[in-house]
Amino acid sequence: VVLAARVNLQRSIASEDAASRQGGIDYLKSTLDAAGALGATLIGGPLYGEPLVFAGRPPKPWSDDQIATRAARTVEGLASVAPLAASAGKVFALEPLNRFETDIVNTTAQAIEIIDAVGSPGLGIVLDTFHMNMEERSIPDAIRAAGPRLVHFQANENHRGFPGTGNMDWTAIMRAL
């Protein structure tokens, strides 16, 4: 069982608003309890920030300093909950989403930076080929780069359909896995 977690504007560890950041921490902590009740060991999804389209928030231009601050808040927030997950025998799985759904973590390389900065066995990466199809130059290379950080994988076609019904190179993807 994998528990899917999704943040919103009131529970974002990247937010400029301290109450929203705390809401994000509280939410992530609550998912540990929910995962325990369900028997899930993985809690995955866009754990890090404010969603765009699905929250009704249009993209916003950020300065380099604002981007760095949001990234630092994301690392700080995940660093506060990842050890809790590890001690509970669970792993948070950070999912990069495409640029239309978030402006925080869009690529595997960005997820790797966060995972490595947090440095906890309670945090790994979940990759989803639907998002990777839009953001990665090479899906197999991104999978190999994730390496042992990869804790879950979602196989979707470029149109979110079943594998084999779109344009994904499943042979190359499976070899990379």
Side-chain angles (χ1 to χ4, degrees):
V1 175
V2 176
L3 179 64
R6 191 124 168 107
V7 296
N8 62 34
L9 298 176
Q10 292 74 45
R11 52 184 194 211
S12 168
I13 61 174
S15 179
E16 295 173 299
D17 177 62
S20 293
R21 286 195 306 277
Q22 187 59 53
I25 297 297
D26 293 344
Y27 170 71
L28 292 174
K29 287 178 180 177
S30 76
T31 66
L32 292 170
D33 295 333
L38 294 170
T41 56
L42 291 174
I43 302 158
L47 309 171
Y48 40 80
E50 300 118 7
L52 294 172
V53 176
F54 297 116
R57 182 176 75 85
K60 179 178 174 182
W62 299 102
S63 70
D64 289 344
D65 287 341
Q66 287 172 313
I67 291 168
T69 299
R70 287 165 57 85
R73 286 189 201 119
T74 299
V75 169
E76 181 182 323
L78 292 172
S80 74
V81 296
L84 300 174
S87 69
K90 307 202 181 319
V91 177
F92 282 112
L94 181 70
E95 181 178 5
L97 297 183
N98 70 73
R99 69 194 86 167
F100 305 109
E101 296 185 42
T102 189
D103 57 7
I104 303 250
V105 180
N106 303 118
T107 66
T108 303
Q110 291 168 332
I112 289 169
E113 286 181 37
I114 290 171
I115 302 302
D116 290 353
V118 170
S120 170
L123 182 63
I125 298 174
V126 56
L127 294 177
D128 181 332
T129 53
F130 172 77
H131 300 291
M132 297 176 82
N133 182 61
M134 287 183 259
E135 300 298 337
E136 304 292 351
R137 292 186 185 273
S138 166
I139 292 174
D141 287 348
I143 292 168
R144 285 188 284 273
R149 300 172 196 88
L150 184 60
V151 297
H152 189 64
F153 190 77
Q154 297 173 1
N156 297 285
E157 274 295 349
N158 57 297
H159 52 68
R160 281 211 193 266
F162 295 107
T165 63
N167 67 14
M168 305 295 274
D169 184 350
W170 291 108
T171 301
I173 290 167
M174 292 302 142
R175 286 182 178 150
L177 286 169

